[in-house]
Amino acid sequence: MSHDFFRATVGTMTPSQLARRRRLTETVIEIVSETGPENLQMREVAERSGVALGTAYRYFASKDHLLAAAWADWHGRLSEKVISDLSKQPGGRSEDGSASVCERVLAFVLREMRAFQHNPNFARLAVHLEACNDPYVSETLVGLGEENERVMRALMGDLPEEVARPARVAISSTLGMGLTSWTTGRTTVTEAMRNIEEVTRLVMRDIG
């Protein structure tokens, strides 16, 4: 079936179809947590989720498509939790007592890295998907990028876009390179986190 078929049906699924789709992605999250993404098989996901294999392929055109959907779900939950926690316990303070922009952004990206440190299999999944040329994966990653943009804009508040955009690019690029270097054994997670902190403070040093 065409790419448009899968893209169009997600928004028009019935509650029972959405529930089956959710069971598939939640099962993938469980398997990746246990064993990593490398050896995941569609048949195992179908069996563990109780969804027929043929039905699983109606929702997801390939294993990488399914992995990307599960990754989007996991990352979305992470972003929501981090933002919720930061709103309750803000990081640094500016002179008026509010959380500084730099410290809010830094707290967000470091919390994200700590989540990967706690769940390294998902760091490997993120790196795997970034290198994947599957069109379904590409579409999912575009959506995730837009969601990250939304979160970062919220954290940066009223910063002018000509200042905020290059800062977001530098921070996101450093985070991506850090994940790749760490998961491929070229650096430690501690070094990756230090690089992220240094770059964040550098690009936002005059912002507050």
Side-chain angles (χ1 to χ4, degrees), residues 25-84:
T25 57
E26 288 177 350
T27 299
V28 171
I29 290 172
E30 291 174 3
I31 294 173
V32 171
S33 297
E34 295 167 4
T35 62
E38 293 83 3
N39 298 316
L40 181 137
Q41 298 296 323
M42 291 286 282
R43 185 172 298 278
E44 179 187 5
V45 175
E47 291 174 352
R48 286 181 57 165
S49 66
V51 176
L53 182 60
T55 301
Y57 274 110
R58 282 187 59 80
Y59 296 129
F60 303 103
S62 65
K63 180 179 77 172
D64 282 334
H65 183 200
L66 177 54
L67 281 168
W71 160 241
D73 286 354
W74 184 86
H75 190 272
R77 296 173 196 174
L78 169 64
S79 295
E80 289 175 5
K81 184 178 187 307
V82 169
I83 291 298
S84 175

